[in-house]
Coordinates of all heavy atoms in Angstrom, one line a residue:
M108 N 77.5 12.0 -61.9 CA 77.1 13.2 -61.1 C 75.6 13.0 -60.7 O 74.8 12.5 -61.6 CB 77.3 14.5 -61.8 CG 76.7 15.7 -61.1 SD 77.0 17.2 -62.0 CE 78.3 17.9 -61.1
A109 N 75.2 13.3 -59.6 CA 73.8 13.2 -59.1 C 72.9 14.1 -59.9 O 73.3 15.1 -60.5 CB 73.7 13.5 -57.6
D110 N 71.6 13.8 -59.9 CA 70.6 14.6 -60.6 C 70.6 16.0 -60.0 O 70.5 16.1 -58.8 CB 69.3 13.9 -60.4 CG 68.1 14.7 -61.0 OD1 68.3 15.4 -62.0 OD2 67.0 14.6 -60.4
T111 N 70.7 17.0 -60.9 CA 70.8 18.4 -60.4 C 69.6 18.8 -59.6 O 69.6 19.4 -58.6 CB 71.0 19.3 -61.6 OG1 72.2 18.9 -62.3 CG2 71.2 20.7 -61.1
K112 N 68.4 18.3 -60.1 CA 67.2 18.7 -59.4 C 67.2 18.1 -58.0 O 66.8 18.8 -57.1 CB 66.0 18.1 -60.2 CG 64.9 19.1 -60.6 CD 63.8 18.5 -61.3 CE 64.3 17.8 -62.6 NZ 63.3 17.4 -63.5
S113 N 67.7 16.9 -57.9 CA 67.7 16.3 -56.5 C 68.7 17.1 -55.6 O 68.4 17.3 -54.4 CB 68.2 14.9 -56.6 OG 67.3 14.1 -57.3
Q114 N 69.8 17.5 -56.2 CA 70.7 18.3 -55.4 C 70.1 19.7 -55.0 O 70.3 20.1 -53.9 CB 72.0 18.6 -56.2 CG 72.8 17.4 -56.4 CD 74.1 17.7 -57.2 OE1 74.0 18.5 -58.2 NE2 75.2 17.0 -56.9
V115 N 69.3 20.3 -55.9 CA 68.7 21.6 -55.6 C 67.7 21.4 -54.5 O 67.7 22.1 -53.5 CB 68.0 22.2 -56.9 CG1 67.2 23.4 -56.5 CG2 69.1 22.6 -57.9
F116 N 66.8 20.4 -54.6 CA 65.8 20.1 -53.6 C 66.5 19.8 -52.2 O 66.1 20.3 -51.2 CB 64.9 19.0 -54.0 CG 63.8 19.4 -54.9 CD1 63.7 19.0 -56.2 CD2 62.8 20.3 -54.4 CE1 62.7 19.4 -57.0 CE2 61.7 20.7 -55.3 CZ 61.7 20.2 -56.6
A117 N 67.5 19.0 -52.3 CA 68.2 18.7 -51.0 C 68.8 20.0 -50.4 O 68.8 20.1 -49.2 CB 69.3 17.6 -51.3
A118 N 69.4 20.8 -51.2 CA 70.0 22.0 -50.8 C 69.0 23.0 -50.1 O 69.3 23.6 -49.1 CB 70.7 22.7 -51.9
I119 N 67.8 23.1 -50.7 CA 66.9 24.1 -50.2 C 66.0 23.6 -49.1 O 65.2 24.3 -48.5 CB 66.0 24.7 -51.3 CG1 65.2 23.7 -52.0 CG2 66.9 25.5 -52.3 CD1 64.2 24.2 -53.0
T120 N 66.2 22.3 -48.7 CA 65.4 21.8 -47.5 C 65.9 22.4 -46.2 O 65.1 22.5 -45.3 CB 65.5 20.3 -47.4 OG1 66.8 19.9 -47.3 CG2 64.9 19.6 -48.6
D121 N 67.1 22.9 -46.2 CA 67.6 23.4 -44.9 C 67.3 24.9 -44.8 O 67.6 25.7 -45.7 CB 69.1 23.2 -44.9 CG 69.7 23.6 -43.6 OD1 70.0 24.8 -43.4 OD2 69.9 22.8 -42.7
P122 N 66.7 25.3 -43.7 CA 66.4 26.7 -43.5 C 67.6 27.7 -43.5 O 67.4 28.8 -44.0 CB 65.6 26.8 -42.1 CG 65.8 25.5 -41.5 CD 66.3 24.5 -42.5
T123 N 68.7 27.3 -43.0 CA 69.9 28.1 -43.0 C 70.3 28.4 -44.5 O 70.6 29.5 -44.8 CB 71.0 27.5 -42.2 OG1 70.6 27.3 -40.9 CG2 72.3 28.4 -42.3
R124 N 70.3 27.3 -45.3 CA 70.7 27.5 -46.7 C 69.7 28.4 -47.4 O 70.1 29.2 -48.3 CB 70.8 26.2 -47.4 CG 72.0 25.4 -46.8 CD 72.4 24.2 -47.7 NE 71.5 23.1 -47.5 CZ 71.8 22.0 -46.7 NH1 72.8 22.0 -46.0 NH2 70.9 21.0 -46.7
R125 N 68.4 28.3 -47.1 CA 67.4 29.2 -47.7 C 67.7 30.6 -47.3 O 67.6 31.6 -48.1 CB 66.0 28.8 -47.3 CG 65.6 27.5 -48.0 CD 64.1 27.2 -47.9 NE 63.6 27.2 -46.5 CZ 63.4 26.2 -45.7 NH1 63.8 25.0 -46.1 NH2 62.9 26.3 -44.5
E126 N 68.1 30.9 -46.1 CA 68.4 32.2 -45.6 C 69.7 32.7 -46.3 O 69.7 33.9 -46.7 CB 68.6 32.3 -44.1 CG 67.3 32.2 -43.3 CD 66.4 33.3 -43.6 OE1 66.8 34.5 -43.7 OE2 65.2 33.1 -43.8
I127 N 70.7 31.9 -46.5 CA 71.8 32.3 -47.3 C 71.5 32.7 -48.7 O 71.9 33.7 -49.2 CB 72.9 31.1 -47.3 CG1 73.5 30.9 -45.9 CG2 74.0 31.4 -48.3 CD1 74.4 29.7 -45.7
L128 N 70.6 31.9 -49.3 CA 70.1 32.3 -50.7 C 69.4 33.6 -50.7 O 69.7 34.4 -51.6 CB 69.2 31.2 -51.2 CG 69.9 29.9 -51.6 CD1 68.9 28.8 -52.0 CD2 70.9 30.0 -52.7
K129 N 68.6 33.9 -49.7 CA 67.9 35.2 -49.6 C 68.9 36.3 -49.5 O 68.8 37.3 -50.1 CB 66.9 35.2 -48.4 CG 65.7 34.4 -48.6 CD 64.8 34.6 -47.4 CE 63.6 33.6 -47.5 NZ 62.8 33.7 -46.2
L130 N 69.9 36.1 -48.6 CA 71.0 37.1 -48.4 C 71.7 37.4 -49.7 O 71.9 38.5 -50.0 CB 71.9 36.6 -47.3 CG 73.2 37.4 -47.0 CD1 72.7 38.8 -46.4 CD2 74.1 36.7 -46.1
L131 N 72.1 36.3 -50.4 CA 72.8 36.5 -51.6 C 71.9 37.2 -52.7 O 72.4 37.9 -53.5 CB 73.3 35.2 -52.1 CG 74.4 34.5 -51.3 CD1 74.8 33.2 -51.8 CD2 75.6 35.4 -51.1
G132 N 70.6 36.9 -52.7 CA 69.7 37.5 -53.6 C 69.6 39.0 -53.4 O 69.2 39.7 -54.3
E133 N 69.9 39.5 -52.2 CA 69.8 40.9 -51.9 C 71.1 41.6 -52.1 O 71.3 42.8 -51.8 CB 69.4 41.1 -50.5 CG 68.0 40.5 -50.2 CD 67.6 40.4 -48.7 OE1 68.5 40.7 -47.9 OE2 66.5 40.1 -48.4
S134 N 72.2 41.0 -52.7 CA 73.5 41.6 -52.8 C 74.1 41.2 -54.1 O 73.6 40.3 -54.8 CB 74.4 41.1 -51.7 OG 74.7 39.8 -51.8
D135 N 75.2 41.9 -54.5 CA 76.0 41.6 -55.7 C 77.1 40.6 -55.4 O 77.8 40.2 -56.3 CB 76.5 42.9 -56.3 CG 75.4 43.8 -56.8 OD1 74.4 43.2 -57.3 OD2 75.6 45.0 -56.8
G136 N 77.3 40.3 -54.2 CA 78.4 39.4 -53.8 C 78.7 39.7 -52.3 O 78.8 40.8 -51.9
V137 N 78.9 38.6 -51.6 CA 79.2 38.7 -50.1 C 80.3 37.7 -49.8 O 80.4 36.6 -50.3 CB 77.9 38.3 -49.4 CG1 78.1 38.4 -47.9 CG2 76.7 39.1 -49.8
T138 N 81.2 38.2 -48.9 CA 82.3 37.3 -48.4 C 81.7 36.2 -47.5 O 80.6 36.4 -46.9 CB 83.4 38.0 -47.7 OG1 82.9 38.6 -46.5 CG2 84.0 39.1 -48.6
A139 N 82.4 35.1 -47.3 CA 82.0 34.1 -46.4 C 81.9 34.6 -45.0 O 81.0 34.3 -44.2 CB 83.0 32.9 -46.4
G140 N 82.8 35.5 -44.6 CA 82.8 36.2 -43.3 C 81.5 37.0 -43.1 O 80.9 37.0 -42.0
E141 N 81.1 37.7 -44.1 CA 79.9 38.5 -44.0 C 78.6 37.6 -43.9 O 77.7 37.9 -43.1 CB 79.7 39.4 -45.2 CG 80.7 40.5 -45.3 CD 80.8 41.3 -46.6 OE1 80.6 40.6 -47.7 OE2 81.0 42.5 -46.6
I142 N 78.7 36.5 -44.6 CA 77.6 35.5 -44.5 C 77.5 35.0 -43.1 O 76.5 34.9 -42.4 CB 77.7 34.4 -45.5 CG1 77.5 35.0 -46.9 CG2 76.7 33.3 -45.3 CD1 77.9 34.0 -48.0
A143 N 78.7 34.6 -42.6 CA 78.8 34.0 -41.2 C 78.2 34.9 -40.1 O 77.6 34.5 -39.2 CB 80.2 33.6 -40.9
R144 N 78.5 36.3 -40.3 CA 78.0 37.2 -39.3 C 76.5 37.3 -39.2 O 75.9 37.7 -38.2 CB 78.6 38.6 -39.6 CG 80.0 38.8 -39.2 CD 80.4 40.2 -39.2 NE 80.6 40.8 -40.5 CZ 81.7 40.6 -41.2 NH1 82.7 39.9 -40.8 NH2 81.8 41.2 -42.4
H145 N 75.8 36.8 -40.3 CA 74.3 36.8 -40.3 C 73.8 35.6 -39.5 O 72.6 35.5 -39.2 CB 73.8 36.8 -41.7 CG 73.8 38.1 -42.3 ND1 74.9 38.7 -42.9 CD2 72.8 39.0 -42.4 CE1 74.5 39.8 -43.4 NE2 73.3 40.1 -43.1
F146 N 74.7 34.7 -39.1 CA 74.3 33.5 -38.4 C 75.2 33.3 -37.2 O 76.0 32.4 -37.1 CB 74.4 32.3 -39.3 CG 73.6 32.4 -40.6 CD1 74.2 32.9 -41.8 CD2 72.3 32.1 -40.6 CE1 73.4 33.0 -42.9 CE2 71.5 32.2 -41.7 CZ 72.1 32.7 -42.9
P147 N 75.0 34.1 -36.2 CA 75.9 34.1 -35.0 C 75.7 32.8 -34.1 O 76.6 32.5 -33.3 CB 75.4 35.3 -34.2 CG 74.0 35.6 -34.6 CD 73.9 35.1 -36.0
T148 N 74.7 32.0 -34.4 CA 74.5 30.8 -33.5 C 75.2 29.6 -34.1 O 75.1 28.5 -33.5 CB 73.0 30.5 -33.3 OG1 72.4 30.4 -34.5 CG2 72.4 31.7 -32.5
I149 N 75.7 29.7 -35.4 CA 76.4 28.5 -35.9 C 77.9 28.9 -36.3 O 78.2 30.1 -36.4 CB 75.7 28.0 -37.2 CG1 75.6 29.1 -38.3 CG2 74.3 27.5 -36.9 CD1 75.0 28.5 -39.6
T150 N 78.7 27.9 -36.3 CA 80.1 28.1 -36.5 C 80.4 28.5 -38.0 O 79.6 28.2 -38.9 CB 80.9 26.9 -36.2 OG1 80.6 25.8 -37.2 CG2 80.7 26.4 -34.8
R151 N 81.6 29.1 -38.2 CA 82.0 29.4 -39.6 C 82.2 28.2 -40.4 O 81.9 28.1 -41.6 CB 83.3 30.3 -39.6 CG 83.0 31.7 -39.2 CD 84.2 32.5 -39.3 NE 83.9 33.9 -38.8 CZ 84.0 34.9 -39.6 NH1 84.5 34.9 -40.8 NH2 83.7 36.1 -39.1
A152 N 82.6 27.1 -39.7 CA 82.7 25.8 -40.4 C 81.4 25.3 -40.9 O 81.3 24.8 -42.0 CB 83.4 24.8 -39.5
A153 N 80.4 25.5 -40.1 CA 79.0 25.1 -40.5 C 78.5 25.9 -41.7 O 77.9 25.4 -42.7 CB 78.0 25.2 -39.4
V154 N 78.8 27.2 -41.7 CA 78.4 28.1 -42.8 C 79.2 27.7 -44.1 O 78.6 27.6 -45.1 CB 78.7 29.6 -42.5 CG1 78.6 30.5 -43.7 CG2 77.9 30.1 -41.3
S155 N 80.4 27.3 -43.9 CA 81.2 26.8 -45.1 C 80.6 25.6 -45.6 O 80.5 25.4 -46.9 CB 82.7 26.6 -44.7 OG 83.3 27.8 -44.4
A156 N 80.2 24.7 -44.8 CA 79.5 23.4 -45.2 C 78.2 23.7 -46.0 O 78.0 23.1 -47.0 CB 79.3 22.5 -44.0
H157 N 77.4 24.7 -45.5 CA 76.2 25.0 -46.1 C 76.5 25.6 -47.5 O 75.9 25.3 -48.5 CB 75.4 26.1 -45.3 CG 74.7 25.5 -44.2 ND1 73.8 24.5 -44.3 CD2 74.8 25.8 -42.8 CE1 73.3 24.2 -43.0 NE2 73.9 25.0 -42.2
L158 N 77.6 26.5 -47.6 CA 77.9 27.1 -48.9 C 78.4 26.0 -49.9 O 78.1 26.1 -51.1 CB 79.0 28.1 -48.7 CG 78.5 29.4 -48.0 CD1 79.7 30.3 -47.6 CD2 77.6 30.2 -49.0
R159 N 79.1 25.0 -49.4 CA 79.6 23.9 -50.2 C 78.4 23.1 -50.8 O 78.4 22.8 -52.0 CB 80.5 22.9 -49.4 CG 81.1 21.9 -50.2 CD 82.2 21.1 -49.4 NE 82.0 21.0 -48.0 CZ 82.6 21.7 -47.1 NH1 83.5 22.7 -47.4 NH2 82.4 21.6 -45.8
V160 N 77.4 22.9 -50.0 CA 76.1 22.2 -50.5 C 75.5 23.1 -51.6 O 75.1 22.6 -52.7 CB 75.2 21.9 -49.4 CG1 73.8 21.4 -49.9 CG2 75.7 20.9 -48.4
L161 N 75.4 24.4 -51.4 CA 74.8 25.3 -52.3 C 75.6 25.4 -53.6 O 75.0 25.4 -54.7 CB 74.6 26.7 -51.7 CG 73.6 26.7 -50.6 CD1 73.6 28.1 -49.8 CD2 72.2 26.5 -51.1
R162 N 76.9 25.3 -53.5 CA 77.8 25.4 -54.7 C 77.6 24.1 -55.5 O 77.5 24.1 -56.7 CB 79.2 25.5 -54.3 CG 79.6 26.9 -54.0 CD 81.1 27.2 -53.9 NE 81.9 26.0 -53.5 CZ 82.3 25.8 -52.3 NH1 82.0 26.6 -51.3 NH2 83.0 24.7 -52.0
T163 N 77.6 22.9 -54.8 CA 77.4 21.6 -55.5 C 76.1 21.6 -56.3 O 76.0 21.0 -57.3 CB 77.5 20.5 -54.4 OG1 78.7 20.6 -53.8 CG2 77.3 19.1 -55.1
A164 N 75.1 22.2 -55.8 CA 73.8 22.3 -56.4 C 73.7 23.4 -57.5 O 72.7 23.6 -58.1 CB 72.7 22.4 -55.4
D165 N 74.8 24.1 -57.7 CA 74.9 25.2 -58.7 C 73.9 26.3 -58.3 O 73.5 27.1 -59.2 CB 74.6 24.7 -60.1 CG 75.7 24.0 -60.7 OD1 76.9 24.2 -60.3 OD2 75.5 23.1 -61.6
L166 N 73.6 26.5 -57.0 CA 72.8 27.6 -56.6 C 73.6 28.8 -56.3 O 73.1 29.9 -56.2 CB 71.9 27.2 -55.4 CG 70.9 26.1 -55.7 CD1 70.3 25.6 -54.4 CD2 69.8 26.7 -56.5
V167 N 74.9 28.6 -56.0 CA 75.8 29.6 -55.5 C 77.1 29.5 -56.3 O 77.6 28.4 -56.5 CB 76.1 29.5 -54.0 CG1 77.2 30.4 -53.5 CG2 74.8 29.8 -53.2
E168 N 77.7 30.7 -56.7 CA 79.0 30.7 -57.3 C 80.0 31.3 -56.3 O 79.6 32.2 -55.6 CB 78.9 31.5 -58.6 CG 78.1 30.9 -59.6 CD 78.1 31.7 -60.9 OE1 78.3 32.9 -60.9 OE2 77.8 31.1 -62.0
E169 N 81.2 30.9 -56.4 CA 82.3 31.3 -55.5 C 83.4 32.0 -56.4 O 83.7 31.4 -57.4 CB 82.8 30.2 -54.7 CG 84.1 30.5 -53.9 CD 84.7 29.3 -53.3 OE1 85.4 28.6 -54.0 OE2 84.4 29.0 -52.2
E170 N 83.9 33.1 -55.9 CA 85.0 33.7 -56.6 C 86.1 34.1 -55.6 O 85.7 34.8 -54.6 CB 84.5 35.0 -57.4 CG 85.6 35.7 -58.1 CD 85.1 37.0 -58.7 OE1 83.9 37.3 -58.7 OE2 86.0 37.8 -59.1
R171 N 87.3 33.7 -55.8 CA 88.4 34.1 -54.9 C 88.9 35.4 -55.3 O 89.2 35.6 -56.5 CB 89.5 33.0 -54.9 CG 89.3 31.9 -54.1 CD 90.6 31.0 -54.1 NE 90.4 29.9 -53.2 CZ 90.9 29.8 -52.0 NH1 91.7 30.8 -51.6 NH2 90.7 28.8 -51.2
R172 N 89.1 36.3 -54.3 CA 89.7 37.6 -54.5 C 90.7 37.8 -53.4 O 90.3 38.1 -52.3 CB 88.7 38.7 -54.5 CG 87.7 38.7 -55.6 CD 86.7 39.9 -55.5 NE 85.5 39.6 -56.2 CZ 84.4 40.3 -56.0 NH1 84.4 41.3 -55.1 NH2 83.3 40.0 -56.6
G173 N 91.9 37.5 -53.7 CA 93.0 37.5 -52.7 C 92.7 36.4 -51.7 O 92.6 35.3 -52.1
Q174 N 92.7 36.8 -50.5 CA 92.5 35.7 -49.4 C 91.0 35.5 -49.1 O 90.6 34.7 -48.3 CB 93.2 36.1 -48.2 CG 92.8 37.3 -47.5 CD 93.7 37.7 -46.3 OE1 94.5 36.9 -45.9 NE2 93.5 38.8 -45.7
F175 N 90.1 36.3 -49.8 CA 88.7 36.2 -49.5 C 87.9 35.4 -50.6 O 88.3 35.5 -51.8 CB 88.1 37.6 -49.3 CG 88.6 38.3 -48.1 CD1 89.6 39.3 -48.4 CD2 88.2 38.1 -46.9 CE1 90.1 40.0 -47.3 CE2 88.8 38.7 -45.8 CZ 89.7 39.7 -46.0
R176 N 86.9 34.8 -50.2 CA 86.0 34.1 -51.1 C 84.7 34.9 -51.1 O 84.1 35.2 -50.1 CB 85.7 32.7 -50.7 CG 86.9 31.8 -50.8 CD 86.6 30.5 -50.3 NE 87.9 29.7 -50.2 CZ 88.0 28.5 -50.4 NH1 87.0 27.7 -50.7 NH2 89.2 27.9 -50.3
H177 N 84.3 35.3 -52.3 CA 83.0 36.1 -52.5 C 82.0 35.1 -53.1 O 82.3 34.4 -54.0 CB 83.2 37.3 -53.4 CG 84.1 38.3 -52.8 ND1 83.6 39.5 -52.2 CD2 85.4 38.4 -52.6 CE1 84.6 40.2 -51.7 NE2 85.7 39.5 -51.9
Y178 N 80.8 35.2 -52.6 CA 79.7 34.4 -53.1 C 78.6 35.2 -53.6 O 78.3 36.3 -53.2 CB 79.1 33.5 -51.9 CG 80.2 32.6 -51.4 CD1 81.1 33.0 -50.4 CD2 80.3 31.3 -51.9 CE1 82.0 32.1 -49.9 CE2 81.2 30.4 -51.4 CZ 82.1 30.8 -50.4 OH 83.1 30.0 -50.0
R179 N 77.9 34.6 -54.7 CA 76.7 35.3 -55.3 C 75.8 34.1 -55.8 O 76.3 33.0 -55.9 CB 77.1 36.2 -56.4 CG 77.8 35.5 -57.6 CD 78.1 36.6 -58.7 NE 78.9 35.9 -59.7 CZ 80.2 35.8 -59.8 NH1 80.9 36.4 -58.8 NH2 80.8 35.2 -60.8
L180 N 74.6 34.5 -56.1 CA 73.7 33.5 -56.6 C 74.3 32.9 -57.9 O 74.8 33.6 -58.7 CB 72.3 34.1 -56.9 CG 71.5 34.4 -55.6 CD1 70.2 35.0 -56.1 CD2 71.3 33.2 -54.7
G181 N 74.1 31.6 -58.1 CA 74.6 31.0 -59.3 C 73.5 31.0 -60.4 O 72.5 31.8 -60.3
P182 N 73.6 30.1 -61.3 CA 72.6 30.0 -62.4 C 71.2 29.8 -61.8 O 71.1 29.2 -60.8 CB 73.0 28.8 -63.2 CG 74.4 28.5 -62.8 CD 74.6 29.0 -61.4
N183 N 70.3 30.4 -62.5 CA 68.9 30.3 -62.0 C 68.4 28.9 -62.1 O 68.1 28.4 -63.2 CB 68.0 31.3 -62.8 CG 66.6 31.3 -62.2 OD1 66.2 30.5 -61.4 ND2 65.8 32.2 -62.7
R184 N 68.2 28.2 -61.0 CA 67.6 26.8 -61.0 C 66.1 26.9 -60.6 O 65.5 25.9 -60.6 CB 68.3 26.0 -59.9 CG 69.8 25.7 -60.3 CD 69.9 24.7 -61.3 NE 71.3 24.5 -61.7 CZ 71.7 24.2 -62.8 NH1 70.8 24.0 -63.8 NH2 73.0 23.9 -63.1
A185 N 65.6 28.1 -60.3 CA 64.2 28.2 -59.9 C 63.3 27.7 -61.0 O 62.3 27.0 -60.7 CB 63.9 29.6 -59.5
D186 N 63.5 28.0 -62.2 CA 62.6 27.6 -63.3 C 62.6 26.1 -63.4 O 61.5 25.6 -63.6 CB 63.1 28.2 -64.6 CG 62.1 28.0 -65.8 OD1 60.9 28.3 -65.6 OD2 62.5 27.4 -66.8
E187 N 63.7 25.5 -63.3 CA 63.7 24.0 -63.4 C 62.9 23.3 -62.3 O 62.2 22.4 -62.5 CB 65.2 23.5 -63.4 CG 65.4 22.1 -63.5 CD 66.9 21.7 -63.4 OE1 67.8 22.6 -63.6 OE2 67.2 20.5 -63.2
V188 N 63.1 23.9 -61.1 CA 62.4 23.3 -60.0 C 60.9 23.6 -60.1 O 60.0 22.8 -59.8 CB 63.0 23.9 -58.6 CG1 62.1 23.5 -57.4 CG2 64.4 23.4 -58.5
L189 N 60.5 24.9 -60.5 CA 59.1 25.2 -60.6 C 58.4 24.4 -61.7 O 57.3 23.9 -61.5 CB 59.0 26.7 -61.0 CG 59.3 27.6 -59.8 CD1 59.3 29.1 -60.3 CD2 58.3 27.5 -58.7
Q190 N 59.1 24.1 -62.8 CA 58.6 23.3 -63.9 C 58.3 21.9 -63.4 O 57.3 21.2 -63.7 CB 59.5 23.3 -65.1 CG 59.5 24.6 -65.9 CD 58.1 25.0 -66.3 OE1 57.3 24.3 -66.8 NE2 57.8 26.3 -66.0
F191 N 59.2 21.4 -62.6 CA 59.0 20.0 -62.0 C 57.8 20.0 -61.1 O 56.9 19.1 -61.2 CB 60.3 19.6 -61.2 CG 60.0 18.3 -60.4 CD1 60.0 17.1 -61.0 CD2 59.8 18.4 -59.1 CE1 59.8 15.9 -60.3 CE2 59.6 17.3 -58.3 CZ 59.6 16.0 -59.0
L192 N 57.7 21.0 -60.2 CA 56.5 21.0 -59.3 C 55.2 21.2 -60.1 O 54.2 20.6 -59.7 CB 56.7 22.2 -58.3 CG 57.8 21.9 -57.3 CD1 58.0 23.2 -56.4 CD2 57.5 20.7 -56.4
I193 N 55.2 22.0 -61.1 CA 54.0 22.2 -61.9 C 53.6 20.8 -62.6 O 52.5 20.5 -62.6 CB 54.2 23.3 -63.0 CG1 54.2 24.6 -62.3 CG2 53.1 23.2 -64.1 CD1 54.7 25.8 -63.1
S194 N 54.6 20.1 -63.1 CA 54.3 18.8 -63.7 C 53.8 17.8 -62.7 O 52.9 17.0 -63.1 CB 55.6 18.2 -64.4 OG 56.5 17.8 -63.5
V195 N 54.2 17.9 -61.5 CA 53.7 16.9 -60.5 C 52.3 17.3 -60.0 O 51.5 16.5 -59.9 CB 54.7 16.9 -59.2 CG1 54.1 16.2 -58.1 CG2 56.0 16.3 -59.6
Y196 N 52.1 18.6 -59.9 CA 50.8 19.1 -59.4 C 49.9 19.6 -60.5 O 49.0 20.4 -60.2 CB 51.0 20.1 -58.3 CG 51.7 19.5 -57.1 CD1 53.0 19.7 -56.8 CD2 50.9 18.8 -56.2 CE1 53.6 19.1 -55.7 CE2 51.5 18.2 -55.1 CZ 52.8 18.4 -54.8 OH 53.4 17.9 -53.7
A197 N 50.1 19.3 -61.7 CA 49.4 19.8 -62.8 C 47.9 19.6 -62.7 O 47.0 20.5 -62.9 CB 49.8 19.2 -64.2
H198 N 47.5 18.4 -62.2 CA 46.1 18.1 -62.0 C 45.5 19.0 -61.0 O 44.4 19.6 -61.2 CB 45.9 16.6 -61.6 CG 44.4 16.3 -61.4 ND1 43.8 16.3 -60.2 CD2 43.5 15.9 -62.3 CE1 42.6 16.0 -60.3 NE2 42.3 15.7 -61.6
D199 N 46.2 19.2 -59.8 CA 45.7 20.0 -58.8 C 45.6 21.5 -59.3 O 44.6 22.2 -58.9 CB 46.6 20.0 -57.5 CG 46.5 18.6 -56.8 OD1 45.5 17.9 -57.0 OD2 47.5 18.3 -56.1
L200 N 46.6 21.9 -60.1 CA 46.6 23.2 -60.6 C 45.4 23.4 -61.5 O 44.7 24.5 -61.5 CB 47.9 23.5 -61.3 CG 48.1 24.9 -61.9 CD1 48.0 26.0 -60.7 CD2 49.4 25.0 -62.6
D201 N 45.1 22.4 -62.4 CA 44.0 22.5 -63.3 C 42.7 22.6 -62.5 O 41.8 23.4 -62.8 CB 43.9 21.3 -64.2 CG 45.0 21.4 -65.3 OD1 45.5 22.5 -65.5 OD2 45.3 20.3 -65.9
E202 N 42.6 21.8 -61.4 CA 41.4 21.9 -60.6 C 41.2 23.3 -59.9 O 40.1 23.8 -59.9 CB 41.5 20.8 -59.4 CG 41.3 19.4 -59.9 CD 39.9 19.0 -60.2 OE1 39.0 19.5 -59.6 OE2 39.7 18.3 -61.2
F203 N 42.3 23.8 -59.5 CA 42.3 25.1 -58.8 C 41.9 26.2 -59.8 O 41.1 27.1 -59.5 CB 43.7 25.5 -58.3 CG 43.8 26.8 -57.7 CD1 43.2 27.1 -56.5 CD2 44.5 27.8 -58.4 CE1 43.3 28.4 -55.9 CE2 44.6 29.1 -57.8 CZ 44.0 29.4 -56.6
L204 N 42.3 26.1 -61.1 CA 42.0 27.1 -62.1 C 40.7 26.8 -62.8 O 40.2 27.5 -63.7 CB 43.1 27.1 -63.2 CG 44.5 27.6 -62.7 CD1 45.5 27.4 -63.7 CD2 44.4 29.0 -62.2
G205 N 40.0 25.7 -62.4 CA 38.7 25.3 -62.9 C 38.8 24.7 -64.3 O 37.8 24.7 -65.0
K206 N 39.9 24.1 -64.6 CA 40.1 23.4 -65.9 C 39.9 21.9 -65.8 O 40.0 21.2 -66.8 CB 41.5 23.7 -66.5 CG 41.7 25.2 -66.8 CD 43.1 25.4 -67.3 CE 43.3 26.9 -67.6 NZ 44.7 27.1 -68.1
G207 N 39.8 21.4 -64.6 CA 39.8 19.9 -64.4 C 38.4 19.3 -64.5 O 37.4 19.6 -64.7

């Protein structure tokens, strides 16, 4: 399996996927159709592809209820990503805080 951090970074590089994450962050669960209605300029197949990338990165969870799939935010990956960025930019952060 690929590095989870790499999958998360790859997933959030796309602006549509970031918008999907924002949408899910504002709800307790949304169907794929409801998500697609927020993006009238792209096809439902494209929305499904974006959701697949987000699921693979563990950013989104999917639950089947009858014939519908409901999506919600998955496990919190923000802390892992933020810790990585802090480790990369620690020197700059120390400089900013006057510790360098």
Side-chain angles (χ1 to χ4, degrees):
M108 177 180 255
D110 174 33
T111 304
K112 237 182 297 192
S113 296
Q114 290 177 327
V115 170
F116 278 112
I119 63 175
T120 59
D121 185 275
T123 300
R124 291 194 284 264
R125 290 193 305 267
E126 285 300 315
I127 291 171
L128 290 173
K129 285 181 189 176
L130 175 66
L131 295 177
E133 297 168 353
S134 69
D135 292 330
V137 182
T138 66
E141 291 169 323
I142 294 169
R144 281 194 287 280
H145 280 83
F146 302 95
T148 60
I149 62 175
T150 66
R151 286 185 181 239
V154 170
S155 292
H157 285 300
L158 288 167
R159 188 171 26 262
V160 171
L161 293 169
R162 281 194 330 266
T163 300
D165 287 333
L166 292 168
V167 169
E168 294 179 337
E169 173 189 83
E170 178 186 352
R171 277 187 177 255
R172 295 185 204 158
Q174 63 183 355
F175 298 101
R176 295 174 189 217
H177 291 257
Y178 295 88
R179 65 179 173 272
L180 290 180
N183 185 352
R184 295 283 180 213
D186 187 53
E187 182 180 345
V188 172
L189 288 172
Q190 290 304 315
F191 170 77
L192 290 172
I193 288 170
S194 72
V195 169
Y196 292 103
H198 181 267
D199 292 337
L200 184 60
D201 287 343
E202 289 286 323
F203 177 74
L204 296 174
K206 297 179 182 178

